[in-house]
């Protein structure tokens, strides 16, 4: 695919010209904080950081100050006079106010002597010594040295026009202090009324056409001087015009996108928008890595490593700060691929690489059609332990197929009770909790992604699709004979067989250890009490361990009517759950080795109370001389969500 010219412009762009509002006094605040950090050095001293091996100095943010680094490079601390103040021999700190002079004289005060010299050469001096109210963004001496030698020589050799015009482009015909230089402001220069683009960032950096103010607010009698770190040139074209007029850039863009666009399923619009930000981010404002939302909707991280800009941690910026009338271009040598332009298998990251490898190795990926949408439910690499990896490959393939859904389901499309079909034709249930979204026995963790033909959700563990009812699970296990016998006596066995969504805390045979035949006869003789006990172990609704909110008590209302208290460490009424999340077609089963009893239900028989105390030891049971209320019929089923008598 050969993109359109508009599409071409996107490759090298991080930003557009929609400006964010920042604190307009951020520069002044950062200078004030630097003064506080240097208060031990005397009055009006500011603490700065200088990147080691360079001349770059910053009034640093708190973060960079305490890290002792800027752009990943170690920074030393310097103490200098704050803007507007000077030292006096024999006195501590910077006790003197810098002399107020006209703009030309102020250039000497702030040591911008090269700019002062060029003002002499170009015959600009009388103007900036005379009446008026000017703002002069004066390049530092180092800024002039950094300017290309041929460009500088051309300016000086044609002083009547080029140098004079260049200096005029650094001037505004009114006084603007840093507090007036709002983020996104466009001011008119004194050269052909061309605009200067102002950005004022929350970290205190102020830029003019992406040149950073390194010494601000030197007030003059006829204006103000701000020293900047580079010589700026006019931004006379838009982003698109800049790309179209640059043959090298256009050729590079066409070639690169032709190589990346051979897959027709990729979204070119998403690809373009992933290279665009809706804010101007000049390189000099980036002092550490920060995440920015692209127009495509996902984030990229722009950081720095010394003098180099990084994108998503990689040094790929070839040319920085190409300033245009509607934004700034940073030219990169790699195409950034957003998730929305990727195939679903490309969404897998390093922490899910084993899942991707096994899906390919077992031939599952070849069965996934290119024109269809899928959802991957990918367990993390740690789930693939030795036991899993050593299982029969036929069985392993069946398990992995249960982790791939037909159709694309984003996180926001999942809802409680939803049934999702896998590529093998099985159905998985969705459970929505206060703090978790779970599919069968496994809950999603952060990191869901959506691609061009599917979605990816990260899972804590392998999924175990339900294949049997609660009754079948307990019967085949063999360790629940007593519980099943009591359920049959109470006429409640159908609850374990019928369709529905239940949570069962099933007492093992160990929970009844020590009871004699006569004890069981006593328990079975009071059907009302037996049902109360048994129904207290069953909840209407499916609650798995991952769905329980951490750090709090989760109240689960039982079919008996009273609440069970559960927590995310899988304890219920302070009883440990040794085995949990056994998924059934009609609910979920958790095994417990003790019998549970509702504390708020009195026991009407002293004999029964004595029996219960022998095998229910976790709580104090109340005793009252009254019959237990008969809350349930001898046979119960659910019809349309309502318990009805079937006797």
């Amino acid at each position: 695919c050969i993109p359109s010219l508009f599409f071409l412009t996107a490759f090298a762009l991080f930003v557009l010209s929609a400006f964010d509002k920042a604190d307009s006094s951020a520069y002044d605040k950062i200078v004030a904080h630097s003064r506080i950090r240097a208060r031990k050095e005397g009055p009006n001293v500011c603490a700065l950081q200088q990147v080691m091996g360079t001349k770059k100095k910053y009034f640093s943010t708190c973060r960079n100050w305490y890290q002792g680094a800027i752009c990943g490079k170690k920074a030393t601390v310097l103490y200098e006079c704050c803007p507007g103040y000077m030292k006096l021999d024999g006195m501590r700190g910077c006790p003197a106010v810098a002399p107020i002079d006209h703009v030309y004289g102020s250039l000497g005060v702030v040591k911008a002597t090269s700019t002062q010299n060029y003002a002499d050469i170009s015959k600009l001096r009388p103007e900036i010594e005379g009446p008026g109210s000017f703002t002069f963004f004066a390049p530092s001496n180092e800024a002039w040295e950094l300017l290309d030698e041929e460009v500088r020589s051309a300016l000086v050799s044609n002083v009547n026009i080029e140098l004079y015009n260049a200096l005029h482009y650094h001037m505004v015909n009114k006084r603007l202090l840093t507090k007036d230089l709002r983020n996104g402001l466009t001011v008119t220069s004194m050269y052909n009324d061309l605009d200067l683009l102002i950005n004022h960032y929350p970290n205190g950096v102020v830029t003019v056409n992406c040149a950073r103010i390194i010494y601000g607010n030197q007030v003059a009698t006829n204006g103000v001087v701000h020293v900047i770190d580079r010589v700026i040139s006019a931004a006379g074209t838009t982003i698109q015009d800049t790309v179209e007029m640059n043959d090298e850039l256009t050729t590079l863009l066409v070639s690169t996108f032709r190589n990346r666009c051979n897959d027709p399923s990729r979204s070119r619009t998403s690809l373009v928008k992933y290279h665009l930000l809706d804010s101007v981010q000049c390189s000099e404002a980036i002092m550490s890595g920060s995440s920015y939302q692209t127009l495509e909707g996902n984030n990229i991280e722009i950081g720095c490593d010394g003098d180099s800009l990084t994108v998503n941690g990689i040094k790929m910026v070839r040319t920085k700060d190409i300033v245009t009338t509607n934004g700034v271009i940073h030219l990169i040598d790699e195409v950034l691929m957003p998730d929305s332009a990727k195939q679903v298998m490309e969404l897998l990251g390093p922490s899910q690489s084993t899942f991707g490898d096994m899906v390919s190795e077992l031939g599952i990926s070849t069965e996934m059609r290119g024109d269809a949408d899928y959802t991957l439910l990918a367990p993390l690499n740690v789930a693939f332990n030795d036991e899993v990896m050593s299982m029969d490959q036929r069985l392993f393939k069946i398990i992995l197929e249960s982790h791939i859904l037909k159709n694309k389901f984003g996180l926001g499309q999942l809802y409680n009770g939803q049934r999702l079909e896998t590529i093998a034709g099985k159905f998985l249930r969705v459970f929505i909790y206060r703090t978790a979204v779970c599919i069968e026995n496994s809950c999603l963790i952060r990191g869901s992604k959506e691609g061009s033909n599917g979605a990816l959700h990260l899972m804590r563990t392998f999924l175990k699709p339900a294949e049997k009812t609660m009754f079948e699970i307990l019967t085949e296990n063999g360790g629940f004979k007593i519980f099943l016998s009591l359920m049959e006596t109470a006429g409640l066995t159908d609850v374990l067989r019928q369709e529905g969504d239940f949570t069962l805390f099933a007492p093992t045979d160990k929970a009844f250890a020590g009871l004699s035949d006569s004890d069981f006869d006593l328990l079975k003789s009071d059907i009302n009490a037996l049902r109360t006990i048994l129904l207290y172990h069953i909840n209407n609704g499916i609650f798995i361990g991952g769905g329980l909110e951490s750090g709090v008590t989760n109240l689960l209302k039982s079919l008996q009517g009273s609440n069970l208290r559960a927590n995310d460490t899988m304890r219920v009424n302070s009883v440990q759950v040794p085995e949990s999340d056994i998924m059934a077609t009609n609910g979920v089963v958790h095994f417990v080795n003790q019998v549970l009893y509702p504390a708020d239900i009195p026991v009407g028989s002293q004999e029964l109370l004595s029996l219960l105390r022998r095998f229910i030891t976790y709580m104090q049971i109340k005793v009252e001389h009254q019959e237990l209320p008969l809350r349930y019929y001898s046979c119960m089923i659910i019809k349309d969500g309502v318990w009805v008598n079937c006797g």
Side-chain angles (χ1 to χ4, degrees), residues 499-519:
E499 292 183 1
D501 295 319
F502 303 104
T503 298
L504 169 63
F505 292 94
T508 64
D509 289 343
K510 295 178 182 178
F512 301 93
L515 296 187
S516 64
D517 290 342
S518 60
D519 292 332

Side-chain angles (χ1 to χ4, degrees), residues 324-341:
T324 72
T325 57
N326 64 335
V328 61
I329 301 172
H330 303 297
L331 179 59
I332 60 177
D333 54 17
E334 292 183 29
V335 175
L336 305 174
M337 287 297 296
D339 291 339
S340 58

Side-chain angles (χ1 to χ4, degrees), residues 190 236 340 344 573:
M190 294 177 65
S340 58
V344 66
N573 289 5

Side-chain angles (χ1 to χ4, degrees), residues 18-216:
F19 300 103
D20 294 332
K21 291 185 178 179
D23 183 352
S24 63
S25 61
Y27 173 88
D28 307 273
K29 287 182 178 180
I30 205 71
V31 172
H33 291 166
S34 297
R35 184 195 297 266
I36 293 172
R37 292 187 181 112
R39 58 185 178 272
K40 293 182 179 179
E41 303 297 319
N44 306 317
V45 176
C46 282
L48 291 85
Q49 285 179 279
Q50 181 172 349
V51 181
M52 292 187 66
T54 73
K55 296 181 179 181
K56 300 179 76 168
K57 295 184 286 188
Y58 297 84
F59 298 105
S60 179
T61 63
C62 289
R63 176 181 176 184
N64 291 329
W65 181 264
Y66 288 109
Q67 287 181 344
I70 293 175
C71 284
K73 301 299 182 182
K74 186 173 178 58
T76 57
V77 177
L78 303 175
Y79 295 100
E80 297 182 356
C81 291
C82 296
Y85 296 92
M86 301 179 65
K87 288 184 173 295
L88 287 178
D89 291 341
M91 298 186 68
R92 187 167 173 267
C94 304
V97 177
I100 296 181
D101 202 344
H102 42 57
V103 168
Y104 177 84
S106 297
L107 292 173
V109 173
V110 296
K111 300 179 181 178
T113 53
S114 293
T115 299
Q116 193 178 45
N117 181 47
Y118 289 137
D120 283 323
I121 296 173
S122 65
K123 306 298 190 291
L124 177 66
R125 177 173 178 173
E127 183 176 352
I128 58 177
E129 284 184 333
S133 184
F134 308 110
T135 297
F136 203 140
F137 297 106
S140 67
N141 293 348
E142 291 78 14
W144 285 106
E145 293 173 6
L146 291 172
L147 189 63
D148 182 83
E149 179 63 34
E150 289 186 12
V151 174
R152 188 166 70 247
S153 297
L155 287 174
V156 175
S157 65
N158 197 355
V159 294
N160 291 328
I161 300 174
E162 303 297 343
L163 185 57
Y164 180 86
N165 289 343
L167 292 177
H168 252 195
Y169 186 62
H170 289 73
M171 295 175 60
V172 177
N173 201 10
K174 62 179 176 180
R175 180 188 288 112
L176 295 169
L177 301 174
T178 51
K179 67 181 179 63
D180 304 312
L181 299 175
R182 301 184 308 277
N183 192 50
L185 179 68
T186 299
V187 296
T188 303
S189 77
M190 294 177 65
Y191 171 60
N192 281 352
D193 292 335
L194 292 177
D195 288 338
L196 295 169
L197 308 178
I198 307 297
N199 286 98
H200 199 139
Y201 297 93
N203 63 5
V205 171
V206 182
T207 61
V208 184
N209 283 16
C210 284
R212 178 170 62 94
I213 293 179
I214 57 178
Y215 185 105

Side-chain angles (χ1 to χ4, degrees), residues 309-562:
L309 278 185
T310 62
V311 184
N312 294 337
I314 302 172
K315 290 183 179 181
M316 63 173 71
V317 178
R318 296 175 54 183
T319 306
K320 301 180 291 185
D321 297 337
I322 303 173
V323 179
T324 72
T325 57
N326 64 335
V328 61
I329 301 172
H330 303 297
L331 179 59
I332 60 177
D333 54 17
E334 292 183 29
V335 175
L336 305 174
M337 287 297 296
D339 291 339
S340 58
K342 294 179 181 178
Q343 293 282 300
V344 66
M345 290 296 292
E346 293 178 300
L347 298 176
L348 293 167
S351 66
Q352 313 98 50
S353 59
T354 305
F355 174 79
D357 292 343
M358 296 311 301
V359 167
S360 298
E361 186 175 322
L362 296 175
I364 300 174
S365 59
T366 60
E367 300 171 7
M368 299 168 63
R369 303 197 330 265
D371 60 346
D373 290 346
Y374 298 95
T375 299
L376 306 181
L377 307 174
L380 300 180
N381 292 344
V382 293
F384 292 82
N385 54 35
D386 292 341
E387 180 182 358
V388 171
M389 298 300 287
S390 63
M391 71 170 54
D392 178 77
Q393 286 202 343
R394 183 184 63 83
L395 177 59
F396 196 14
K397 182 177 180 180
I398 293 173
I399 292 174
L400 291 182
E401 286 175 338
S402 294
H403 292 74
I404 304 176
L405 305 176
K406 293 181 180 179
N407 299 314
K408 177 180 178 179
F409 296 97
L411 185 61
Q413 295 173 284
L414 301 177
Y415 59 88
N416 194 60
Q418 187 176 13
R419 289 166 60 83
L420 308 172
E421 186 178 3
T422 72
I423 58 173
K426 294 183 179 181
F427 286 89
L428 306 175
R429 296 163 295 180
V430 178
F431 310 120
I432 306 293
Y433 304 102
R434 277 171 51 91
T435 58
V437 175
C438 307
I439 299 176
E440 291 298 334
N441 60 292
S442 186
C443 296
L444 280 61
I445 59 177
R446 294 182 63 181
S448 294
K449 300 177 181 179
E450 293 191 40
S452 61
N453 73 327
L456 168 70
H457 303 298
L458 309 186
M459 312 300 292
R460 295 187 185 280
T461 58
F462 280 98
L463 293 166
K464 300 174 184 176
E467 297 178 346
K468 301 173 183 177
T469 65
M470 294 190 294
F471 180 81
E472 291 171 329
I473 290 172
L474 298 181
T475 301
E476 294 181 13
N477 181 277
F480 298 88
K481 294 183 177 66
I482 297 174
F483 175 71
L484 290 173
S485 173
L486 294 175
M487 289 289 286
E488 184 176 3
T489 300
L492 298 175
T493 303
D494 283 344
V495 177
L496 304 179
R497 290 194 180 104
Q498 68 187 17
E499 292 183 1
D501 295 319
F502 303 104
T503 298
L504 169 63
F505 292 94
T508 64
D509 289 343
K510 295 178 182 178
F512 301 93
L515 296 187
S516 64
D517 290 342
S518 60
D519 292 332
F520 283 111
D521 290 340
L522 174 61
L523 189 59
K524 293 178 180 181
S525 67
D526 192 336
I527 297 300
N528 187 20
L530 180 58
R531 288 180 186 147
T532 298
I533 295 171
L534 295 177
L535 289 171
Y536 186 60
H537 291 75
I538 307 173
N539 300 272
N540 202 0
I542 297 177
F543 300 95
I544 66 171
L548 299 175
E549 190 170 343
S550 62
V552 298
T553 298
N554 297 263
L555 298 178
L556 313 180
K557 190 172 184 178
S558 72
L559 297 185
Q560 176 273 329
S562 300

